[in-house]
Amino acid sequence: TLYEDCFSILGHAAIALKQDFYSVADLHNRLFTSAFTCLENLPNFRLRTMLLSFVEPVVLSCPSEYYQTLVSPIIRVFLAAIHVRLTNEWKNITQQNKQSAVYGNTKSKETEEEQVRLLTQDLVNFIVNCCVSTKASDTDENAAESHNDENMEKKSQPLIRP
């Protein structure tokens, strides 16, 4: 659909354009006034699409200098909206399962429950990817600093020893 295609294009643009994408003037406000409005009205499958096609690529490919201005607000708003949604959805599913056990009606909401399970799984995977990506970039930076320190030590040593 057009909705999914738009998020896919934005996600791919973030990956492909890197610095050019993130340096767009007022990107933070542009995204929040378009992509992140009315998240509470989106069905679960649309939130999944948004997470997988747009939020994850934008967050994971973001240069570190834009973390505070772009990634942090995106994560704060998006995760808060999904947290509220999933909390309510899982409460409803638990209540429905209890009622189904009493009345014997088990097939009525299986697709809804599957959508909630998929959204939850994708959210957990996103959080893990963010943590692993951050840890990997920190490790890369530390390795680079360590390498630079070793080079500085080598440069400070005299080439010819007396």
Side-chain angles (χ1 to χ4, degrees):
T1 66
L2 180 60
Y3 186 86
E4 293 163 347
D5 291 344
C6 288
F7 281 130
S8 182
I9 289 169
L10 285 171
H12 282 74
I15 293 168
L17 298 175
K18 292 272 187 197
Q19 192 70 24
D20 292 335
F21 178 82
Y22 294 98
S23 63
V24 169
D26 207 28
L27 180 63
H28 169 267
N29 288 331
R30 291 175 189 219
L31 290 177
F32 278 92
T33 57
S34 59
F36 292 97
T37 57
C38 302
L39 290 176
E40 64 277 357
N41 296 330
L42 292 178
N44 291 332
F45 72 95
R46 294 274 191 232
L47 278 174
R48 269 189 82 217
T49 299
M50 185 177 189
L51 173 63
L52 297 174
S53 299
F54 172 64
V55 174
E56 187 169 25
V58 167
V59 169
L60 294 180
S61 64
C62 185
S64 60
E65 62 262 21
Y66 296 103
Y67 284 172
Q68 292 298 318
T69 58
L70 187 66
V71 171
S72 183
I74 285 175
I75 289 177
R76 186 175 32 250
V77 170
F78 191 73
L79 290 184
I82 287 191
H83 176 262
V84 169
R85 168 72 62 86
L86 288 176
T87 300
N88 292 333
E89 293 282 351
W90 283 114
K91 283 179 186 176
N92 291 339
I93 288 170
T94 302
Q95 289 173 349
Q96 290 171 359
N97 286 343
K98 287 178 183 176
Q99 290 175 353
S100 295
V102 171
Y103 298 113
N105 183 12
T106 58
K107 292 188 177 184
S108 61
K109 298 287 183 178
E110 288 179 1
T111 54
E112 275 186 45
E113 185 174 342
E114 183 64 21
Q115 285 296 321
V116 174
R117 286 180 194 276
L118 290 171
L119 180 57
T120 303
Q121 181 181 8
D122 290 337
L123 179 63
V124 169
N125 290 338
F126 168 69
I127 293 169
V128 168
N129 287 339
C130 287
C131 293
V132 170
S133 173
T134 301
K135 186 174 181 180
S137 67
D138 289 346
T139 304
D140 291 345
E141 288 175 9
N142 290 340
E145 287 176 16
S146 169
H147 182 70
N148 288 341
D149 290 345
E150 289 173 9
N151 285 342
M152 289 299 288
E153 287 176 13
K154 287 179 184 175
K155 287 181 181 177
S156 65
Q157 295 175 354
L159 295 175
I160 302 173
R161 294 197 174 135

